[in-house]
Amino acid sequence: MAHCEGCNGCTVDEKLEKIASKYIDVQGGIIGALHEVQDTYGYISTTSQKYLSKTLHVPMAEIYGIITFYSRFSLTPKGKYNVQVCMGTACYVKGAERVLEKFKTELGIEEGETTEDGMFSLEAVRCIGACGLAPAIVVNSEVYGKMDETKVTEVIATYKDKK
């Protein structure tokens, strides 16, 4: 464990050090580093942002701008199963809003929240590129198409059984 200089003495683990070290002096490497941090920790903490900023010489404002621009990145921890409901035009027209509402009801959370047990998080996203399957959702990397309210309960049950 190292201490991040200039970050009020925050502690940085070896995984983050290793990720950052791969992208030193790599032009545009911040995107790759952020992807690895997201994959490793499930979100990009303030500590991670500060450490990458110092190590890769990228301003915090730029890092924050990248994280908030791309929906793949998150500033808060996600659930074990991250449910993304596509709200792109094709999905929206075919009932994605009803699917999203059903997930909210079934999981007892709003968009951007995670269930108390840490199992599920819920997001509304712009387009997942599965317009032919509209309305579609993604749970982690698994795509589900032709969704409707009745299928929501089945999808949730599938993942609850995987505990």
Side-chain angles (χ1 to χ4, degrees), residues 2-163:
H3 290 284
C4 179
E5 294 177 30
C7 295
N8 298 326
C10 60
T11 305
V12 176
D13 66 22
E14 290 177 18
K15 290 186 252 179
L16 183 58
E17 288 178 334
K18 186 175 178 181
I19 291 168
S21 70
K22 289 194 272 185
Y23 295 95
I24 294 174
D25 298 325
V26 174
Q27 188 172 357
I30 189 63
I31 297 285
L34 290 172
H35 275 287
E36 284 199 47
V37 170
Q38 178 75 41
D39 290 343
T40 302
Y41 301 100
Y43 75 111
I44 304 169
S45 69
T46 303
T47 299
S48 296
Q49 293 173 57
K50 288 178 181 178
Y51 186 73
L52 291 176
S53 175
K54 283 282 191 193
T55 307
L56 304 181
H57 309 290
V58 177
M60 280 289 290
E62 185 176 334
I63 291 173
Y64 183 79
I66 292 167
I67 294 168
T68 56
F69 180 79
Y70 294 104
S71 63
R72 184 208 185 302
F73 299 129
S74 176
L75 293 166
T76 56
K78 303 268 188 199
K80 182 176 180 180
Y81 302 109
N82 185 38
V83 179
Q84 297 178 313
V85 179
C86 181
M87 299 301 279
T89 304
C91 289
Y92 187 84
V93 168
K94 292 191 174 189
E97 194 168 31
R98 291 187 305 274
V99 171
L100 179 61
E101 289 304 316
K102 183 68 171 179
F103 271 108
K104 288 179 182 181
T105 302
E106 291 280 323
L107 296 174
I109 57 175
E110 294 295 318
E111 294 170 48
E113 294 181 345
T114 301
T115 56
E116 285 186 24
D117 63 3
M119 288 294 291
F120 294 93
S121 52
L122 181 62
E123 295 180 278
V125 296
R126 287 298 126 226
C127 181
I128 63 169
C131 302
L133 299 174
I137 67 162
V138 177
V139 180
N140 294 352
S141 59
E142 187 77 27
V143 177
Y144 294 85
K146 308 291 185 194
M147 286 296 297
D148 61 34
E149 298 93 325
T150 61
K151 292 181 182 177
V152 168
T153 305
E154 296 170 22
V155 169
I156 292 171
T158 298
Y159 291 95
K160 278 187 176 179
D161 291 343
K162 290 183 180 185
K163 275 188 174 179

